Amino acid sequence: MFSRSHSFEPRVGTAQFVFGIIYTLIVATALILAAYAYSQGNKEPYMHYFMAAVFAIMAVKSFYLYKKVKNLMKNGVHTVGTLTSCEPVRGITILKAVVDVKDYGPIDIETRLAGETVAHEIKRYLNEHHTDQVPVMVVGNSKRPRGMIMIRTKAGRLDPQSIEIKNKEGAL
């Protein structure tokens, strides 16, 4: 069984940033409603304050997670991994690779790309170049490293520059 526990997905940070903005707007709305309720004679608009406090906590958490993902991306180590599987499944391409992390050992990572055409293009590229090595990035500390395959697509097609290995070290 393949585990996704060592996979890293930076889109989670972007989603958290969007949620943080939405939560901030909800906090502002709750505070405006509290001021309006107070001006209309309700001397204790505690429900509005409670909603503002709850959503403020959620906004802080979302912005914290966004910042944490950005720091991980900035401090990630680029290396190479061995592609073990490249399968098109119901409109997506699932890539699985193994990376040897210094002071930890090998980790299994998984990345999903949109479109099935990408799988065929990746397989063709790797066969033409007689390799199974793909560029990966390892983030996190040595206690819990995570990784992602750095292959990108443009308009549902493989970006050939993203699959080229620039660093031939092979290990961290």
Side-chain angles (χ1 to χ4, degrees):
M1 181 56 102
F2 204 87
S3 174
R4 292 187 64 188
S5 65
H6 290 291
S7 297
F8 175 69
E9 184 57 59
R11 289 181 284 195
V12 171
T14 305
Q16 289 298 323
F17 181 71
V18 170
F19 283 125
I21 291 172
I22 292 169
Y23 295 150
T24 303
L25 292 174
I26 292 172
V27 168
T29 303
L31 292 175
I32 290 169
L33 286 174
Y36 177 75
Y38 187 77
S39 71
Q40 294 299 315
N42 182 1
K43 300 297 181 194
E44 300 173 350
Y46 295 125
M47 180 59 80
H48 302 292
Y49 294 142
F50 175 74
M51 292 298 289
V54 167
F55 280 99
I57 291 169
M58 290 171 41
V60 168
K61 177 201 66 100
S62 292
F63 288 128
Y64 169 76
L65 290 175
Y66 168 73
K67 186 68 172 169
K68 183 177 179 181
V69 168
K70 287 299 176 191
N71 283 338
L72 286 173
M73 287 291 293
K74 184 176 72 173
N75 298 323
V77 177
H78 292 272
T79 185
V80 296
T82 304
L83 190 69
T84 58
S85 175
C86 177
E87 301 298 325
V89 179
R90 295 188 303 264
I92 62 171
T93 296
I94 301 175
L95 302 171
K96 296 178 182 178
V98 175
V99 180
D100 189 26
V101 179
K102 183 180 175 186
D103 298 332
Y104 188 82
I107 62 171
D108 298 320
I109 58 174
E110 178 179 300
T111 299
R112 295 169 184 241
L113 301 172
E116 293 183 5
T117 307
V118 178
H120 304 296
E121 292 174 348
I122 291 171
K123 287 177 183 178
R124 183 173 46 246
Y125 179 89
L126 294 177
N127 284 337
E128 287 174 0
H129 291 84
H130 306 292
T131 185
D132 60 353
Q133 301 293 306
V134 292
V136 298
M137 181 192 310
V138 177
V139 299
N141 57 22
S142 61
K143 292 182 183 177
R144 179 147 161 53
R146 292 174 287 172
M148 65 182 280
I149 300 171
M150 298 298 292
I151 297 175
R152 293 185 313 266
T153 61
K154 287 185 180 176
R157 308 289 294 202
L158 174 66
D159 179 9
Q161 293 176 346
S162 70
I163 198 168
E164 293 175 0
I165 297 176
K166 294 155 183 74
N167 182 2
K168 297 283 186 183
E169 292 178 7
L172 296 177

